[in-house]
Coordinates of all heavy atoms in Angstrom, one line a residue:
S1 N 67.5 138.2 105.0 CA 66.7 137.0 105.4 C 66.0 137.3 106.8 O 64.9 136.8 107.0 CB 67.6 135.8 105.5 OG 68.5 135.9 106.5
S2 N 66.6 138.0 107.7 CA 66.0 138.2 109.0 C 64.7 139.0 108.9 O 63.8 138.9 109.7 CB 67.0 138.9 109.9 OG 67.3 140.2 109.5
E3 N 64.5 139.8 107.8 CA 63.3 140.5 107.6 C 62.1 139.6 107.2 O 61.0 140.0 107.4 CB 63.5 141.6 106.5 CG 64.4 142.7 106.9 CD 65.9 142.4 106.6 OE1 66.1 141.6 105.8 OE2 66.8 143.0 107.2
Q4 N 62.5 138.5 106.6 CA 61.4 137.6 106.1 C 60.9 136.7 107.3 O 59.8 136.2 107.2 CB 61.9 136.7 105.0 CG 62.3 137.5 103.8 CD 62.9 136.6 102.7 OE1 63.0 135.4 102.9 NE2 63.2 137.2 101.6
L5 N 61.7 136.5 108.3 CA 61.3 135.6 109.4 C 60.4 136.4 110.3 O 60.4 137.6 110.4 CB 62.5 135.2 110.2 CG 63.6 134.4 109.4 CD1 64.8 134.1 110.2 CD2 63.0 133.0 108.9
S6 N 59.6 135.6 111.1 CA 58.7 136.3 112.0 C 59.5 137.0 113.1 O 60.7 136.7 113.4 CB 57.8 135.3 112.7 OG 58.5 134.4 113.5
Q7 N 58.9 138.0 113.7 CA 59.6 138.8 114.8 C 59.5 138.1 116.1 O 58.4 138.0 116.7 CB 59.1 140.2 114.8 CG 59.2 141.0 113.6 CD 60.7 141.2 113.2 OE1 61.5 141.6 114.0 NE2 61.0 140.9 111.9
Q8 N 60.6 137.5 116.6 CA 60.6 136.9 117.9 C 61.7 137.5 118.7 O 62.8 137.8 118.2 CB 60.9 135.3 117.7 CG 59.9 134.6 116.8 CD 58.5 134.6 117.4 OE1 58.4 134.4 118.6 NE2 57.5 134.8 116.6
D9 N 61.5 137.6 120.0 CA 62.5 138.3 120.9 C 63.7 137.5 121.0 O 64.8 138.0 121.2 CB 61.9 138.4 122.3 CG 60.8 139.5 122.3 OD1 60.8 140.4 121.4 OD2 59.9 139.4 123.3
H10 N 63.6 136.1 120.9 CA 64.8 135.3 121.0 C 65.6 135.1 119.7 O 66.7 134.4 119.8 CB 64.4 133.9 121.6 CG 63.5 133.1 120.7 ND1 62.2 133.3 120.7 CD2 63.8 132.1 119.9 CE1 61.6 132.5 119.9 NE2 62.6 131.8 119.3
Y11 N 65.2 135.7 118.6 CA 66.0 135.6 117.4 C 67.1 136.7 117.5 O 66.8 137.8 117.8 CB 65.1 135.9 116.2 CG 64.2 134.8 115.8 CD1 64.0 133.7 116.5 CD2 63.3 135.0 114.7 CE1 63.1 132.7 116.2 CE2 62.5 134.0 114.3 CZ 62.3 132.8 115.1 OH 61.5 131.9 114.7
D12 N 68.3 136.3 117.2 CA 69.4 137.2 117.3 C 70.3 137.1 116.0 O 70.8 136.0 115.7 CB 70.3 136.9 118.5 CG 71.5 137.8 118.7 OD1 71.6 138.8 118.0 OD2 72.4 137.4 119.5
F13 N 70.4 138.2 115.3 CA 71.2 138.1 114.0 C 72.3 139.2 114.1 O 72.7 139.7 113.1 CB 70.3 138.4 112.8 CG 69.2 137.3 112.6 CD1 67.9 137.5 113.0 CD2 69.6 136.0 112.2 CE1 67.0 136.5 112.8 CE2 68.7 135.0 112.1 CZ 67.4 135.3 112.4
G14 N 72.7 139.6 115.3 CA 73.7 140.6 115.5 C 75.1 140.0 115.4 O 75.3 138.9 115.0
M15 N 76.1 140.8 115.7 CA 77.5 140.5 115.6 C 77.8 139.3 116.5 O 78.6 138.5 116.2 CB 78.4 141.7 115.9 CG 78.2 142.8 114.9 SD 78.6 142.3 113.2 CE 80.4 142.1 113.3
R16 N 77.2 139.2 117.7 CA 77.5 138.1 118.6 C 77.1 136.8 118.0 O 77.8 135.8 118.1 CB 76.8 138.3 119.9 CG 77.6 137.9 121.1 CD 76.9 138.3 122.4 NE 76.4 139.6 122.4 CZ 75.4 140.1 123.1 NH1 74.8 139.4 123.9 NH2 75.0 141.3 123.0
A17 N 75.9 136.8 117.4 CA 75.4 135.6 116.7 C 76.3 135.2 115.5 O 76.6 134.0 115.3 CB 74.0 135.8 116.3
L18 N 76.7 136.2 114.8 CA 77.6 135.9 113.7 C 78.9 135.3 114.1 O 79.4 134.4 113.6 CB 77.9 137.2 112.9 CG 78.9 137.1 111.7 CD1 78.4 136.1 110.7 CD2 79.1 138.5 111.1
K19 N 79.5 135.9 115.3 CA 80.7 135.3 115.8 C 80.5 133.8 116.2 O 81.4 133.0 116.0 CB 81.2 136.1 117.0 CG 82.5 135.6 117.6 CD 83.0 136.3 118.8 CE 84.3 135.7 119.2 NZ 84.3 135.4 120.6
S20 N 79.3 133.5 116.8 CA 79.1 132.2 117.2 C 79.0 131.2 116.0 O 79.5 130.1 116.1 CB 77.7 132.1 117.9 OG 77.7 132.8 119.1
V21 N 78.4 131.7 114.9 CA 78.4 130.9 113.7 C 79.8 130.6 113.2 O 80.2 129.5 112.8 CB 77.5 131.5 112.6 CG1 77.7 130.8 111.3 CG2 76.1 131.5 113.0
L22 N 80.6 131.7 113.2 CA 82.0 131.5 112.7 C 82.9 130.6 113.6 O 83.7 129.8 113.1 CB 82.7 132.9 112.5 CG 82.0 133.8 111.5 CD1 82.7 135.2 111.5 CD2 82.1 133.2 110.1
V23 N 82.7 130.7 114.9 CA 83.4 129.8 115.8 C 83.0 128.4 115.6 O 83.8 127.5 115.5 CB 83.2 130.3 117.3 CG1 83.7 129.2 118.2 CG2 83.9 131.6 117.5
M24 N 81.7 128.2 115.4 CA 81.2 126.8 115.2 C 81.7 126.3 113.8 O 82.1 125.2 113.7 CB 79.6 126.8 115.2 CG 79.0 125.4 115.0 SD 77.3 125.4 115.0 CE 76.9 125.8 116.7
A25 N 81.7 127.2 112.8 CA 82.2 126.8 111.5 C 83.7 126.4 111.6 O 84.1 125.4 111.0 CB 82.1 127.9 110.5
G26 N 84.5 127.1 112.4 CA 85.9 126.7 112.6 C 86.0 125.4 113.2 O 86.9 124.6 112.8
S27 N 85.2 125.1 114.3 CA 85.3 123.8 114.9 C 84.9 122.7 114.0 O 85.5 121.6 114.0 CB 84.4 123.8 116.1 OG 84.8 124.8 117.1
L28 N 83.8 122.9 113.2 CA 83.4 121.9 112.3 C 84.5 121.6 111.2 O 84.7 120.5 110.8 CB 82.1 122.3 111.6 CG 80.8 122.3 112.4 CD1 79.7 123.0 111.6 CD2 80.5 120.9 112.7
K29 N 85.1 122.7 110.7 CA 86.2 122.5 109.7 C 87.4 121.7 110.3 O 87.9 120.9 109.6 CB 86.6 123.9 109.2 CG 87.6 123.8 108.0 CD 87.0 123.1 106.8 CE 88.0 123.2 105.6 NZ 87.5 122.4 104.5
R30 N 87.7 122.1 111.5 CA 88.9 121.3 112.1 C 88.5 119.9 112.3 O 89.3 119.0 112.1 CB 89.3 122.0 113.4 CG 90.1 123.3 113.2 CD 90.6 123.8 114.5 NE 89.6 124.3 115.4 CZ 89.0 125.5 115.4 NH1 89.4 126.3 114.4 NH2 88.1 125.8 116.2
A31 N 87.3 119.6 112.6 CA 86.8 118.2 112.9 C 86.7 117.4 111.6 O 86.8 116.2 111.6 CB 85.5 118.2 113.7
S32 N 86.3 118.1 110.5 CA 86.1 117.5 109.2 C 86.8 118.3 108.1 O 86.1 119.0 107.3 CB 84.6 117.4 108.9 OG 83.9 116.7 110.0
A33 N 88.1 118.2 108.1 CA 88.9 119.0 107.1 C 88.5 118.7 105.7 O 88.7 119.6 104.8 CB 90.4 118.7 107.4
S34 N 88.0 117.5 105.4 CA 87.6 117.2 104.0 C 86.4 117.9 103.5 O 86.1 118.0 102.3 CB 87.5 115.7 103.8 OG 86.4 115.2 104.6
L35 N 85.5 118.4 104.4 CA 84.3 119.1 103.9 C 84.7 120.5 103.3 O 85.6 121.2 103.7 CB 83.4 119.4 105.1 CG 82.7 118.2 105.7 CD1 81.9 118.6 107.0 CD2 81.8 117.5 104.7
S36 N 83.9 120.8 102.3 CA 84.1 122.2 101.7 C 83.7 123.3 102.6 O 82.9 123.1 103.5 CB 83.3 122.3 100.4 OG 81.9 122.5 100.7
E37 N 84.3 124.4 102.5 CA 84.0 125.6 103.3 C 82.5 125.9 103.2 O 81.9 126.4 104.2 CB 84.8 126.8 103.0 CG 86.3 126.5 103.4 CD 87.2 127.7 103.1 OE1 86.7 128.8 102.7 OE2 88.4 127.6 103.4
T38 N 81.9 125.8 102.0 CA 80.5 126.1 101.9 C 79.6 125.2 102.7 O 78.7 125.6 103.4 CB 80.1 125.9 100.4 OG1 80.9 126.8 99.6 CG2 78.6 126.2 100.2
V39 N 79.9 123.9 102.7 CA 79.2 122.9 103.5 C 79.3 123.2 105.0 O 78.4 123.2 105.7 CB 79.6 121.5 103.2 CG1 79.0 120.5 104.1 CG2 79.2 121.1 101.7
V40 N 80.5 123.5 105.4 CA 80.8 123.8 106.8 C 80.0 125.0 107.2 O 79.4 125.1 108.3 CB 82.3 124.0 107.0 CG1 82.6 124.6 108.4 CG2 83.1 122.7 106.9
L41 N 80.0 126.1 106.4 CA 79.3 127.3 106.7 C 77.8 127.1 106.8 O 77.1 127.5 107.8 CB 79.6 128.4 105.7 CG 79.0 129.8 106.0 CD1 79.4 130.3 107.3 CD2 79.3 130.7 104.9
I42 N 77.3 126.3 105.9 CA 75.8 126.0 105.9 C 75.5 125.2 107.2 O 74.5 125.5 107.9 CB 75.4 125.3 104.7 CG1 75.5 126.2 103.4 CG2 73.9 124.8 104.8 CD1 75.3 125.5 102.1
Q43 N 76.3 124.2 107.5 CA 76.0 123.4 108.7 C 76.1 124.3 110.0 O 75.2 124.2 110.9 CB 77.0 122.3 108.8 CG 76.7 121.1 107.9 CD 77.7 120.0 108.1 OE1 78.8 120.1 108.6 NE2 77.3 118.8 107.8
A44 N 77.1 125.2 110.0 CA 77.2 126.1 111.2 C 76.0 127.0 111.3 O 75.5 127.2 112.4 CB 78.5 126.9 111.1
M45 N 75.6 127.6 110.2 CA 74.4 128.4 110.2 C 73.2 127.7 110.7 O 72.4 128.2 111.5 CB 74.2 129.1 108.8 CG 75.2 130.1 108.5 SD 74.8 131.1 107.0 CE 74.7 129.8 105.8
R46 N 73.0 126.5 110.1 CA 71.8 125.6 110.5 C 71.9 125.2 111.9 O 70.9 125.4 112.7 CB 71.8 124.4 109.6 CG 70.7 124.4 108.6 CD 70.5 123.1 107.9 NE 71.3 122.0 108.4 CZ 71.4 120.8 107.8 NH1 70.9 120.7 106.6 NH2 72.1 119.8 108.3
D47 N 73.0 124.7 112.4 CA 73.1 124.2 113.7 C 73.0 125.3 114.8 O 72.5 125.1 115.9 CB 74.5 123.5 113.9 CG 74.6 122.2 113.2 OD1 73.6 121.8 112.6 OD2 75.7 121.7 113.1
S48 N 73.4 126.5 114.5 CA 73.3 127.6 115.5 C 71.9 128.3 115.4 O 71.5 129.0 116.4 CB 74.4 128.6 115.3 OG 74.3 129.3 114.1
N49 N 71.2 128.2 114.3 CA 69.9 129.0 114.2 C 68.7 128.1 114.3 O 67.7 128.6 114.9 CB 69.9 129.7 112.9 CG 70.8 130.9 112.9 OD1 70.6 131.8 113.7 ND2 71.8 131.0 112.0
L50 N 68.7 127.0 113.7 CA 67.4 126.2 113.6 C 66.8 125.9 115.0 O 65.6 125.9 115.1 CB 67.6 124.9 112.8 CG 67.6 125.0 111.3 CD1 67.8 123.7 110.6 CD2 66.3 125.7 110.8
P51 N 67.6 125.6 116.0 CA 67.0 125.3 117.3 C 66.2 126.4 117.9 O 65.3 126.2 118.7 CB 68.2 125.0 118.2 CG 69.3 124.5 117.3 CD 69.1 125.3 116.0
K52 N 66.5 127.7 117.4 CA 65.8 128.8 118.0 C 64.5 129.1 117.2 O 63.6 129.8 117.7 CB 66.7 130.1 117.8 CG 68.0 130.0 118.5 CD 68.7 131.3 118.2 CE 70.2 131.0 118.0 NZ 70.9 132.2 117.6
F53 N 64.3 128.6 116.0 CA 63.3 129.0 115.1 C 61.9 128.3 115.4 O 61.9 127.1 115.8 CB 63.6 128.8 113.7 CG 64.7 129.7 113.1 CD1 65.5 129.3 112.1 CD2 64.9 131.0 113.7 CE1 66.5 130.1 111.6 CE2 65.9 131.8 113.2 CZ 66.7 131.4 112.1
L54 N 60.8 129.0 115.2 CA 59.5 128.4 115.1 C 59.5 127.5 113.9 O 60.3 127.7 112.9 CB 58.5 129.5 115.0 CG 58.4 130.5 116.1 CD1 57.3 131.5 115.8 CD2 58.1 129.8 117.5
S55 N 58.6 126.5 113.8 CA 58.7 125.6 112.7 C 58.5 126.3 111.4 O 59.1 125.9 110.4 CB 57.6 124.5 112.9 OG 56.3 125.0 113.0
E56 N 57.6 127.3 111.3 CA 57.4 128.0 110.0 C 58.7 128.7 109.6 O 59.0 128.8 108.4 CB 56.3 129.0 110.2 CG 54.9 128.4 110.5 CD 54.8 128.3 112.0 OE1 55.4 129.0 112.8 OE2 54.0 127.4 112.4
D57 N 59.4 129.3 110.6 CA 60.6 130.0 110.3 C 61.7 129.1 109.9 O 62.6 129.4 109.1 CB 61.0 130.9 111.4 CG 60.1 132.2 111.6 OD1 59.5 132.6 110.6 OD2 60.0 132.7 112.7
A58 N 61.7 127.9 110.5 CA 62.7 126.9 110.2 C 62.6 126.5 108.7 O 63.6 126.4 108.0 CB 62.6 125.7 111.1
Q59 N 61.4 126.3 108.2 CA 61.2 126.0 106.8 C 61.6 127.1 105.9 O 62.3 126.9 104.9 CB 59.7 125.6 106.6 CG 59.3 124.4 107.2 CD 57.8 124.2 107.1 OE1 57.0 125.0 106.7 NE2 57.3 123.0 107.6
L60 N 61.3 128.3 106.3 CA 61.7 129.5 105.5 C 63.2 129.7 105.5 O 63.8 129.9 104.5 CB 61.0 130.8 106.1 CG 61.4 132.1 105.4 CD1 61.1 132.1 103.9 CD2 60.7 133.3 106.1
F61 N 63.8 129.5 106.7 CA 65.3 129.6 106.8 C 66.0 128.5 105.8 O 66.9 128.9 105.1 CB 65.7 129.4 108.2 CG 67.2 129.5 108.4 CD1 67.8 130.7 108.5 CD2 68.0 128.3 108.6 CE1 69.2 130.8 108.7 CE2 69.3 128.4 108.8 CZ 70.0 129.7 108.9
S62 N 65.4 127.3 105.8 CA 66.0 126.3 105.0 C 65.8 126.7 103.5 O 66.7 126.4 102.7 CB 65.3 124.9 105.3 OG 65.6 124.5 106.6
A63 N 64.7 127.3 103.2 CA 64.5 127.7 101.8 C 65.4 128.8 101.4 O 66.0 128.9 100.3 CB 63.1 128.1 101.6
I64 N 65.7 129.7 102.3 CA 66.6 130.8 102.1 C 68.0 130.3 101.9 O 68.7 130.7 100.9 CB 66.6 131.9 103.2 CG1 65.3 132.6 103.3 CG2 67.8 132.8 103.1 CD1 65.0 133.4 104.5
I65 N 68.4 129.3 102.7 CA 69.8 128.7 102.6 C 69.9 128.0 101.2 O 70.9 128.1 100.5 CB 70.0 127.7 103.7 CG1 70.1 128.4 105.0 CG2 71.3 126.9 103.4 CD1 71.3 129.4 105.2
A66 N 68.8 127.3 100.8 CA 68.8 126.6 99.5 C 68.9 127.7 98.3 O 69.6 127.4 97.4 CB 67.6 125.8 99.4
D67 N 68.3 128.8 98.5 CA 68.4 129.8 97.5 C 69.8 130.5 97.4 O 70.3 130.8 96.4 CB 67.4 131.0 97.7 CG 66.0 130.5 97.4 OD1 65.8 129.5 96.7 OD2 65.0 131.2 97.8
L68 N 70.4 130.7 98.6 CA 71.7 131.3 98.7 C 72.8 130.3 98.2 O 73.9 130.8 97.7 CB 72.0 131.7 100.1 CG 71.2 132.9 100.6 CD1 71.5 133.1 102.1 CD2 71.5 134.2 99.8
F69 N 72.6 129.0 98.4 CA 73.6 128.0 98.1 C 73.0 127.0 97.2 O 72.9 125.8 97.6 CB 74.2 127.4 99.3 CG 74.9 128.4 100.2 CD1 74.2 128.9 101.3 CD2 76.2 128.8 100.0 CE1 74.8 129.8 102.2 CE2 76.8 129.7 100.9 CZ 76.1 130.2 102.0
P70 N 72.6 127.3 95.9 CA 71.9 126.4 95.1 C 72.9 125.2 94.7 O 74.1 125.3 94.5 CB 71.6 127.2 93.8 CG 72.5 128.3 93.8 CD 72.9 128.6 95.3
G71 N 72.3 124.0 94.7 CA 73.0 122.8 94.3 C 73.9 122.2 95.4 O 74.5 121.2 95.2
V72 N 73.9 122.8 96.6 CA 74.7 122.3 97.7 C 73.8 121.4 98.5 O 72.8 121.9 99.1 CB 75.4 123.4 98.5 CG1 76.1 122.8 99.7 CG2 76.2 124.3 97.7
D73 N 74.1 120.1 98.6 CA 73.3 119.2 99.4 C 74.0 119.0 100.8 O 75.1 118.7 100.8 CB 73.2 117.9 98.7 CG 72.3 117.9 97.5 OD1 71.4 118.7 97.4 OD2 72.6 117.2 96.5
I74 N 73.2 119.2 101.8 CA 73.7 119.0 103.1 C 72.9 117.9 103.7 O 71.6 117.9 103.8 CB 73.4 120.3 104.0 CG1 74.1 121.5 103.4 CG2 74.0 120.1 105.4 CD1 75.6 121.4 103.3
L75 N 73.6 116.9 104.2 CA 72.9 115.7 104.8 C 72.4 116.1 106.2 O 73.0 116.8 106.9 CB 73.9 114.5 104.9 CG 74.4 114.0 103.6 CD1 75.4 112.9 103.8 CD2 73.2 113.4 102.7
E76 N 71.2 115.5 106.5 CA 70.7 115.7 107.8 C 71.6 115.0 108.8 O 72.1 113.9 108.5 CB 69.3 115.2 107.9 CG 68.3 116.0 107.1 CD 68.1 117.4 107.7 OE1 68.1 117.7 108.9 OE2 68.0 118.4 106.8
K77 N 71.7 115.5 110.0 CA 72.5 114.8 111.0 C 71.8 113.6 111.5 O 70.6 113.6 111.6 CB 72.8 115.8 112.2 CG 73.8 116.8 111.8 CD 74.3 117.5 113.1 CE 75.4 118.5 112.7 NZ 76.1 119.0 113.9
D78 N 72.6 112.6 111.8 CA 72.0 111.4 112.4 C 72.1 111.5 113.9 O 73.2 111.4 114.5 CB 72.7 110.1 111.9 CG 72.2 108.8 112.5 OD1 71.1 108.9 113.0 OD2 72.9 107.8 112.4
Y79 N 71.0 111.6 114.6 CA 71.0 111.8 116.0 C 70.8 110.4 116.7 O 70.8 110.3 117.9 CB 69.9 112.8 116.5 CG 70.3 114.2 116.1 CD1 69.7 114.8 115.0 CD2 71.3 114.9 116.8 CE1 70.1 116.1 114.7 CE2 71.7 116.2 116.4 CZ 71.1 116.8 115.4 OH 71.4 118.0 115.0
G80 N 70.6 109.4 115.9 CA 70.6 108.0 116.4 C 69.9 107.8 117.7 O 68.7 107.9 117.9
E81 N 70.7 107.4 118.7 CA 70.2 107.0 120.0 C 69.5 108.2 120.7 O 68.5 108.0 121.4 CB 71.4 106.5 120.9 CG 71.9 105.2 120.4 CD 73.0 104.7 121.3 OE1 73.0 105.0 122.6 OE2 73.9 103.9 120.8
L82 N 70.0 109.4 120.5 CA 69.4 110.6 121.1 C 67.9 110.7 120.6 O 67.0 110.9 121.4 CB 70.2 111.8 120.9 CG 69.5 113.1 121.4 CD1 69.4 113.1 122.9 CD2 70.3 114.3 120.9
K83 N 67.8 110.6 119.3 CA 66.4 110.7 118.8 C 65.5 109.6 119.3 O 64.4 109.9 119.6 CB 66.5 110.7 117.2 CG 65.2 110.9 116.6 CD 65.3 111.0 115.1 CE 64.0 111.2 114.4 NZ 64.1 111.3 112.9
L84 N 66.0 108.4 119.3 CA 65.2 107.3 119.8 C 64.8 107.5 121.3 O 63.6 107.3 121.7 CB 65.9 106.0 119.7 CG 66.2 105.5 118.3 CD1 67.0 104.2 118.3 CD2 64.9 105.2 117.6
A85 N 65.7 108.0 122.1 CA 65.4 108.3 123.5 C 64.4 109.4 123.7 O 63.5 109.3 124.5 CB 66.7 108.7 124.3
V86 N 64.5 110.4 122.9 CA 63.5 111.5 122.9 C 62.2 111.0 122.5 O 61.2 111.3 123.2 CB 64.0 112.7 122.0 CG1 62.9 113.7 121.9 CG2 65.2 113.4 122.6
L87 N 62.1 110.3 121.4 CA 60.8 109.8 121.0 C 60.2 108.8 122.0 O 59.0 108.8 122.2 CB 61.0 109.0 119.6 CG 61.3 109.9 118.5 CD1 61.6 109.1 117.2 CD2 60.2 110.9 118.2
E88 N 61.0 108.0 122.7 CA 60.5 107.2 123.7 C 60.0 107.9 124.9 O 58.9 107.6 125.4 CB 61.6 106.3 124.2 CG 61.2 105.3 125.3 CD 62.3 104.4 125.8 OE1 63.3 104.1 125.0 OE2 62.3 103.9 126.9
M89 N 60.6 109.0 125.3 CA 60.1 109.9 126.4 C 58.9 110.6 126.0 O 58.0 110.7 126.9 CB 61.2 110.9 126.8 CG 62.5 110.2 127.4 SD 62.1 109.1 128.8 CE 61.6 110.2 130.0
I90 N 58.7 111.0 124.8 CA 57.5 111.6 124.3 C 56.3 110.6 124.4 O 55.3 110.9 124.9 CB 57.7 112.2 122.9 CG1 58.6 113.4 122.9 CG2 56.3 112.5 122.3 CD1 59.0 113.9 121.5
A91 N 56.6 109.4 123.9 CA 55.6 108.4 124.0 C 55.2 108.1 125.4 O 54.0 107.9 125.7 CB 56.1 107.1 123.3
R92 N 56.1 108.0 126.3 CA 55.8 107.7 127.7 C 54.9 108.9 128.3 O 54.0 108.6 129.0 CB 57.1 107.6 128.5 CG 57.8 106.3 128.4 CD 58.9 106.2 129.4 NE 59.8 105.1 129.1 CZ 60.9 104.9 129.7 NH1 61.3 105.7 130.6 NH2 61.7 103.9 129.3
A93 N 55.3 110.1 128.0 CA 54.6 111.2 128.6 C 53.1 111.2 128.1 O 52.3 111.6 128.8 CB 55.3 112.5 128.2
L94 N 52.9 110.8 126.9 CA 51.6 110.8 126.3 C 50.7 109.7 126.9 O 49.5 109.8 126.9 CB 51.6 110.8 124.8 CG 52.2 112.0 124.1 CD1 52.3 111.8 122.6 CD2 51.4 113.3 124.4
L95 N 51.4 108.7 127.4 CA 50.7 107.5 127.9 C 50.3 107.7 129.4 O 49.4 107.0 129.9 CB 51.5 106.2 127.8 CG 51.7 105.8 126.3 CD1 52.7 104.6 126.3 CD2 50.4 105.4 125.7
V96 N 50.9 108.7 130.0 CA 50.6 108.9 131.5 C 49.3 109.5 131.7 O 48.8 110.3 131.0 CB 51.8 109.7 132.1 CG1 51.4 110.1 133.5 CG2 53.1 109.0 132.0

């Protein structure tokens, strides 16, 4: 999958990045023991990689995950108040 994404200096798919995903997956599993390991792994991969990706690569990454794990539905996280605060700050900045 890393060959399909654009080449960016800040993209890291080495052993350190893999360890980060596994550590995050372990934390997610401990916090939500009822979730399947597949869901936990997908969430950890998404949470650790999507913030780094360009928007085009984020879409491609999501498509790759869907191909690798067909039929597994992952709910989007609800960022609630954080999302509202960010949107409010964006609106303020554009009004200045």
Side-chain angles (χ1 to χ4, degrees):
S1 67
S2 63
E3 293 86 23
Q4 295 177 0
L5 301 173
S6 66
Q7 298 299 311
Q8 302 293 322
D9 291 336
H10 62 278
Y11 288 2
D12 179 16
F13 298 105
M15 293 303 287
R16 216 172 319 152
L18 177 60
K19 181 181 182 234
S20 295
V21 169
L22 294 175
V23 168
M24 184 180 290
S27 295
L28 288 170
K29 184 64 175 173
R30 283 188 292 280
S32 303
S34 63
L35 289 177
S36 74
E37 289 182 3
T38 302
V39 170
V40 168
L41 182 59
I42 293 170
Q43 283 184 335
M45 287 189 300
R46 249 187 13 190
D47 292 352
S48 66
N49 286 299
L50 281 180
K52 301 179 220 174
F53 290 154
L54 302 175
S55 61
E56 301 84 25
D57 287 335
Q59 292 172 353
L60 178 57
F61 181 78
S62 294
I64 291 169
I65 294 296
D67 288 345
L68 291 173
F69 301 96
V72 178
D73 292 326
I74 305 295
L75 297 175
E76 292 294 321
K77 287 193 174 189
D78 178 18
Y79 290 103
E81 291 182 30
L82 175 62
K83 184 176 180 179
L84 292 174
V86 169
L87 291 173
E88 182 181 332
M89 295 308 292
I90 290 170
R92 283 186 194 175
L94 294 176
L95 294 174
V96 173

